[in-house]
Amino acid sequence: VQLVESGGGSAQPGGSLRLSCAASGLTVSAYCMAWFRQAAGKERERVAHMPSTGNSWYSDSVKGRFTISRDNANNSMYLQMNSVKPEDTGMYYCAASPLRWLCSEWTYWGQGTQVTVSS
């Protein structure tokens, strides 16, 4: 199984970024998929997840600004980040859980992509 993130980079406050997670060895529609982030000196936190079916979940810190989505045809997952803030800076990881609706026990992880928000 491989999860490969891309799309990170630099943005100014108020700007946008779109992260991608390409999966191989698993079918994203059969897993709960998530985005986590880790800022320097802080613990890793989950920012959004999407169960196999049903409603997505967002942390309060990104609700209304970030959107998680999935493209089954391309076996990929995305995170659209709008109205970004400096506190969104960090390494972003995609993860997959075989608990397709419970969305815990994150078994597979990508290597991460860096997001930096500054003026």
Side-chain angles (χ1 to χ4, degrees):
V1 174
Q2 272 197 318
L3 300 176
V4 180
E5 301 96 335
S6 61
S10 297
Q12 293 188 338
S16 297
L17 286 168
R18 186 176 188 241
L19 306 184
S20 300
C21 173
S24 59
L26 63 79
T27 301
V28 296
S29 62
Y31 283 72
C32 184
M33 302 298 296
W35 287 98
F36 288 75
R37 70 184 179 191
Q38 186 167 23
K42 295 189 176 181
E43 292 186 356
R44 187 177 299 188
E45 63 169 340
R46 188 180 353 166
V47 297
H49 74 236
M50 170 177 283
S52 183
T53 57
N55 295 326
S56 298
W57 170 90
Y58 298 91
S59 69
D60 288 343
S61 62
V62 307
K63 196 175 297 181
R65 300 187 298 119
F66 291 9
T67 303
I68 189 171
S69 63
R70 182 172 54 212
D71 182 342
N72 294 337
N74 289 316
N75 207 34
S76 295
M77 177 182 65
Y78 306 95
L79 185 69
Q80 179 66 42
M81 306 169 61
N82 295 332
S83 302
V84 295
K85 304 175 181 180
E87 50 263 44
D88 294 323
T89 295
M91 187 70 77
Y92 282 70
Y93 300 89
C94 68
S97 167
L99 303 181
R100 56 196 300 176
W101 293 290
L102 190 60
C103 298
S104 62
E105 297 182 22
W106 303 98
T107 304
Y108 303 109
W109 292 85
Q111 82 290 347
T113 186
Q114 178 68 36
V115 169
T116 302
V117 182
S118 69
S119 54

